[in-house]
Amino acid sequence: PELARGQWLVLLAAFLGWMFDGLEMGIFPLVARPALQEMQAAAGVLDEQFVQMWMGKITALFLLGAAAGGLVFGWLGDKVGRVRAMGASIFCFSIFSLVGYFAATPEQVLLLRFLAGMGVGGMWPTGVSLASEAWSDASRPMISGLLGTSANVGLVTLNTIGYFIHV
């Protein structure tokens, strides 16, 4: 039978949401080190351990945020619907990643990365469950695998852009 256009749109939305998660996760390490170095210079400190310590804390809290986001947005998907929950998770990682540009202290970066991580973590359960429901006749492991590759597509996209645009 012919697939409905809505099925393709759901799959595309879930794929792009997770792809941009991957893109965002790839961008952060590139900008975090110089940002933290600027923050420590403004505080009159020049110590590589400062940057390493904060990168470790920020990465750990981002991952905790992703775990928490999976739980929160998964629950939200059951309560208000998968589409709304997926949209909220995309909004969450987008807005808190954007606000991170204005962070003035490592503590602010830490908090904002936790919140962005919640959005990233929330994208997986909402996107996969929504796509699995829309594509009920397809293999759920295949849908999950396809969506799982999309974060890597985001990373490859970032690297391709970086290859052609030298900053």
Side-chain angles (χ1 to χ4, degrees), residues 52-136:
Q52 291 175 4
M53 178 195 68
W54 280 105
M55 284 296 291
K57 287 180 178 184
I58 290 165
T59 301
L61 221 58
F62 177 81
L63 293 172
L64 287 172
L71 292 172
V72 169
F73 286 101
W75 172 82
L76 193 62
D78 288 338
K79 296 298 177 195
V80 301
R82 313 262 190 265
V83 173
R84 285 189 176 124
M86 187 172 79
S89 74
I90 292 170
F91 179 78
C92 183
F93 84 74
S94 299
I95 198 72
F96 290 116
S97 295
L98 172 68
V99 173
Y101 174 81
F102 301 102
T105 67
E107 293 84 3
Q108 291 173 352
V109 175
L110 189 71
L111 174 63
L112 293 168
R113 289 305 290 164
F114 175 80
L115 295 170
M118 285 189 69
V120 167
M123 185 57 219
W124 183 253
T126 57
V128 168
S129 60
L130 183 63
S132 292
E133 289 169 358
W135 289 77
S136 59

Side-chain angles (χ1 to χ4, degrees), residues 2 4 6 15 21 25 65-66 71 82 84 99 103 126-127 133 138 145 152 158-159 164:
E2 188 173 320
F15 188 92
D21 277 350
M25 288 185 285
L71 292 172
R82 313 262 190 265
R84 285 189 176 124
V99 173
T126 57
E133 289 169 358
N152 295 318
L158 174 65
N159 286 298
F164 290 107

